[in-house]
Amino acid sequence: GAPDDKRLFVLAATPTRYYEFVGPASLEALFASYRELSHLGHVEVEGPPPGTAWPPPHKGSSLDFDRRRGQEGGGRGSGASPPSAFAWLSARGVYCGSLLFGAQAPRDSCVYDSEMRPYPPATDLAQSSGAGSASPAALRWPPLSLALTELHLLVLYGGGVAALSRLSGELMCVARPPAACGPLLGLVREPAQGGLWAWGEGGTLRVSVNREERHMWRLHLEARDFETALACCSPGAPSQRDLVLAQHAEHELSRGAYTLAARQFAKTGKSVEEVALRFLSLGQKGALQTYLFCKLDAMDERHAMQGTLLCTWLTSLFLERLEGARGLEGSGRGEAEAAAAEFRAFLSERHRRLSRPTTYALLEAAGR
């Protein structure tokens, strides 16, 4: 928009507090708008975990922003959109939040959906560093800096970089620098291209982030976000997809959504016998029928014998259902008529996959 419409957002942080400033598009005018306020709005966290401290001379903090949305518009100098999220290296953990900019006035917040991600325990850092690495003590307290990627929080320690999942806060891995680099001192993002660089007493290193999405399917699965987990599965790893579908089916089964569970089980590689026994043990013949229909619809026409077996099983279930509805009056009579109509449609549509002698024998045994 016009220059007069531009506004400035400043986020300032210490190890235990961060402050938001929003207002006119110059630092002088921005801070002048806060001089009349008796109290500056801020977020405060507790100090370092018990038994730890920010040892002198390190008493700083660190901030980073998710600028990917802005980079799509061509970078800072082209009127790009503002960042969509931030991460703050606080004394208690990594504080993460999303950013929404609009018509905020002084003391209004631009932060929403914020949460604290605790630093990984020292034992986790030691295990992730590997038995052959240098002493993991350098990866403990304090963290020195951080960077925000699409899916991870990169936390810099003197002895390496710890990658935490933005979704769960789980420690995913620890990368250690070559010994010649010495203790790491800082982590910085290149403004123009967004590249990450770490430096230490012995040199500078580029931090490369590759295939960071490869574990996301499992994290979404643990959060029971089954649709997103399925979308994150690798095309070359069918076992991932099968596990997501199976756990989704188990979830639906546990909450009594038997028809939904049947449809999900039908997409998995589980044996028909195993799934059928599950539904029979629960007395859910209707869900079993749904499951068999789904398996039949997904089956290749070339698998004639398997198709015939499923159709025979469905015929038996239809006949049991009709027998149970025989003699019912009122609403029960309508149910019986509906079941009979479904059975006739089934016989008409699936007659090519039915064994005539077996089907006639079943009908005769049922008095039909």
Side-chain angles (χ1 to χ4, degrees):
D4 292 343
D5 296 333
K6 293 183 179 179
R7 298 169 65 78
L8 192 64
F9 171 73
V10 174
L11 196 62
T14 73
T16 57
R17 289 185 179 185
Y18 80 77
Y19 298 86
E20 293 181 64
F21 302 90
V22 59
S26 75
L27 288 175
E28 183 178 357
L30 172 69
F31 292 120
S33 65
Y34 281 81
R35 288 176 187 154
E36 304 300 324
L37 298 178
S38 59
H39 175 72
L40 291 179
H42 66 273
V43 170
E44 185 168 4
V45 300
E46 299 176 4
T52 62
W54 293 82
H58 184 80
K59 296 181 179 180
S61 184
S62 181
L63 285 167
D64 195 29
F65 295 88
D66 187 343
R67 295 184 174 90
R68 290 177 298 111
R69 184 175 65 184
Q71 287 174 351
E72 291 172 3
R76 289 184 174 183
S78 60
S81 300
S84 59
F86 77 99
W88 164 40
L89 190 80
S90 78
R92 198 69 182 180
V94 179
Y95 189 91
C96 307
S98 298
L99 295 169
L100 181 64
F101 301 102
Q104 286 96 342
R107 293 190 66 174
D108 288 345
S109 177
C110 300
V111 176
Y112 70 101
D113 284 347
S114 56
E115 60 183 333
M116 179 69 75
R117 294 295 190 193
Y119 294 117
T123 52
D124 291 354
L125 290 171
Q127 291 170 1
S128 296
S129 337
S133 62
S135 170
L139 279 177
R140 295 178 185 170
W141 195 261
L144 304 176
S145 186
L146 91 165
L148 196 59
T149 71
E150 180 180 1
L151 301 174
H152 293 88
L153 301 164
L154 304 184
V155 182
L156 182 88
Y157 294 82
V161 178
L164 313 181
S165 166
R166 284 179 64 173
L167 179 65
S168 66
E170 178 184 352
L171 175 65
M172 305 307 297
C173 67
V174 171
R176 301 185 68 90
C181 185
L184 296 176
L185 301 175
L187 180 67
V188 67
R189 184 183 300 277
E190 183 184 348
Q193 301 299 324
L196 294 171
W197 296 84
W199 71 90
E201 294 179 354
T204 302
L205 301 170
R206 185 182 181 95
V207 180
S208 298
V209 181
N210 301 314
R211 296 181 60 231
E212 62 174 329
E213 76 286 347
R214 66 186 182 275
H215 298 300
M216 292 308 298
W217 71 275
R218 186 177 294 278
L219 295 174
H220 285 293
L221 179 59
E222 291 172 356
R224 294 187 176 180
D225 185 357
F226 300 108
E227 290 186 8
T228 306
L230 203 60
C232 291
C233 289
S234 171
S239 60
Q240 294 178 5
R241 180 180 177 84
D242 198 66
L243 180 60
V244 172
L245 291 169
Q247 291 203 17
H248 190 182
E250 294 289 353
H251 172 71
E252 301 296 353
L253 198 68
S254 67
R255 69 186 190 94
Y258 299 113
T259 300
L260 291 176
R263 290 173 180 156
Q264 292 300 321
F265 272 128
K267 300 174 186 177
T268 72
K270 288 184 175 293
S271 70
V272 173
E273 294 80 4
E274 178 186 353
V275 177
L277 285 173
R278 295 285 301 279
F279 286 121
L280 288 173
S281 67
L282 294 169
Q284 295 297 323
K285 291 186 177 180
L288 172 58
Q289 193 172 20
T290 298
Y291 169 73
L292 294 176
F293 266 119
C294 290
K295 293 295 287 186
L296 188 62
D297 290 339
M299 187 174 290
D300 194 307
E301 290 283 351
R302 292 173 296 180
H303 299 155
M305 183 175 294
Q306 293 93 323
T308 298
L309 288 172
L310 292 183
C311 284
T312 302
W313 201 342
L314 283 165
T315 299
S316 299
L317 290 173
F318 269 118
L319 291 172
E320 287 182 27
R321 183 177 165 191
L322 289 170
E323 182 64 26
R326 179 175 291 179
L328 294 178
E329 300 295 336
S331 61
R333 184 175 181 82
E335 181 181 340
E337 292 174 352
E342 288 179 32
F343 187 37
R344 286 192 295 270
F346 166 75
L347 294 174
S348 175
E349 295 169 4
R350 313 284 181 167
H351 67 277
R352 292 184 178 179
R353 283 190 162 182
L354 286 164
S355 166
R356 286 193 176 188
T358 304
T359 303
Y360 286 142
L362 288 172
L363 291 171
E364 184 178 359
R368 298 282 172 177

